[in-house]
Amino acid sequence: MTPQRHDFVVTVESPTEARNPRTEDLDRLSTLDVLRLINAEDHLVPDAVAAVLPELARAADLAVGALRAGGRVHYVGAGTSGRLATLDAAELVPTFNTPPDWFVAHHAGGREALVNAVENVEDQASAGADEIRRHAVAGDLVVGVTASGRTPFVVAALEAARALGARTVLVSNNPTATAPLDVDVLIAVDTGPEAIAGSTRMKAGTSQKLVLTSFSTAVMVRLGRTYSNLMVSMRATNAKLRGRTVRILREATGLAEQECTTALADAGGDLKVALVHLLADVPTALAADALRKTQGHVRQALTLLAPGATG
């Protein structure tokens, strides 16, 4: 499975590069039938992701451990993979009110390559290694995302991370290759050939979106950034979100809107403090103190405040 060079051209054997026999007549079909075929291929993705959930759980547990110890999670990718990783990292701050440096995305070619195709940046192994050496430290977790599993920028970044003492995860869509690196977790999602051969923005990209979203959400749940299935850590930065905080309080407590609005105001707009205040029936100052002691974990704070608890 080693890439072969022919006059400075690299060919990589990967299922995503193969021609899909189910879509060979794609250009003969009506628009609706083209869409039906693409949709049929897309239906294969969730099952492919389901097959790697044990490995994904291991990766999420590594991330939880790194963040609890004061480390960070780094995403590394190029092209579609890098853009999806950047998107996932960016959305965690407003959704879960995470510190902005908890999840850091490193995209080959930098910001310019996020919106424009920049030639050859994914082949720059030294740039990937240098990027991680500048930003990662021992104890961090570095997650490489690449459909082929071979992208030089990503591979070199993971090798550099390993040398630093960081833990490593590789997400790829190339299960036919043996583990290309000495990584802690290999997540190879078998999405097979694309509807358009080699267009990994399709099924491979969809699977990467599912993997990254599931991974980061599971990490947030484990770290207590939710209560039940409610976004109790979200940042209320506009009128719509401020309305959502009241609705979340009502859903979680079963209390009336006015009581929830008052509690939120008394908590200085802090949804978690208001929630613990209402559920534990304690003053807001005591609720805030319990949340500090449990690093913002609502259920643990409620346990700490339960009658007879010591802490």
Side-chain angles (χ1 to χ4, degrees):
M1 294 303 168
T2 303
Q4 303 174 5
R5 292 194 74 92
H6 304 289
D7 297 327
F8 303 105
V9 174
V10 177
T11 57
V12 178
E13 292 298 325
S14 173
T16 59
E17 300 296 318
R19 191 174 180 187
N20 191 330
R22 296 182 294 272
T23 61
E24 288 182 357
D25 290 330
L26 198 65
D27 61 339
R28 299 173 180 268
L29 303 177
S30 68
T31 302
L32 181 57
D33 285 338
V34 167
L35 294 172
R36 282 174 173 151
L37 268 185
I38 293 172
N39 185 251
E41 292 297 310
D42 287 343
H43 270 78
L44 303 176
V45 175
D47 285 344
V49 173
V52 299
L53 290 182
E55 291 83 3
L56 189 54
R58 288 174 54 206
D61 286 341
L62 287 178
V64 170
L67 292 169
R68 281 179 174 163
R72 300 190 294 175
V73 176
H74 301 264
Y75 287 153
V76 184
T80 297
S81 301
R83 294 184 184 100
L84 289 169
T86 302
L87 173 65
D88 192 69
E91 291 181 339
L92 296 177
V93 175
T95 304
F96 298 105
N97 197 21
T98 62
D101 62 346
W102 266 19
F103 282 71
V104 184
H106 307 275
H107 183 56
R111 290 184 177 274
E112 181 184 355
L114 288 174
V115 293
N116 297 298
V118 179
E119 298 300 324
N120 300 321
V121 290
E122 71 174 43
D123 295 329
Q124 296 174 6
S126 60
D130 290 345
E131 179 78 6
I132 287 303
R133 291 192 192 105
R134 286 196 303 270
H135 298 284
V137 297
D140 285 355
L141 176 68
V142 178
V143 181
V145 190
T146 160
S148 69
R150 304 292 194 186
T151 304
F153 181 91
V154 176
V155 169
L158 290 171
E159 290 173 339
R162 192 77 173 179
L164 289 170
R167 307 299 291 271
T168 54
V169 174
L170 175 62
V171 179
S172 86
N173 298 87
N174 190 359
T176 62
T178 56
L181 290 167
D182 184 18
V183 294
D184 292 289
V185 183
L186 175 63
I187 302 172
V189 189
D190 187 6
T191 49
E194 299 287 1
I196 303 294
S199 182
T200 53
R201 60 186 284 272
M202 302 186 79
K203 287 191 299 184
T206 300
S207 75
Q208 290 168 7
K209 176 66 169 67
L210 291 175
V211 165
L212 290 170
T213 303
S214 299
F215 164 77
S216 58
T217 301
V219 172
M220 294 297 102
V221 172
R222 290 290 313 283
L223 289 173
R225 313 301 286 193
T226 64
Y227 174 73
S228 181
N229 59 354
L230 299 172
M231 293 191 298
V232 294
S233 298
M234 58 170 281
R235 293 168 57 183
T237 55
N238 57 42
K240 180 187 77 172
L241 295 181
R242 285 189 289 273
R244 182 180 293 169
T245 61
V246 175
R247 186 169 69 250
I248 288 173
L249 276 179
R250 293 184 65 189
E251 289 281 350
T253 66
L255 298 174
E257 181 173 345
Q258 184 56 55
E259 191 170 356
C260 290
T261 301
T262 300
L264 195 59
D266 290 344
D270 190 313
L271 176 55
K272 281 188 174 181
V273 172
L275 179 59
V276 172
H277 155 65
L278 291 172
L279 290 176
D281 192 23
V282 298
T284 54
L286 194 56
D289 183 61
L291 285 164
R292 278 192 296 271
K293 290 177 178 178
T294 58
Q295 297 182 308
H297 199 297
V298 171
R299 286 200 187 274
Q300 291 179 8
L302 291 171
T303 298
L304 188 63
L305 292 167
T310 59

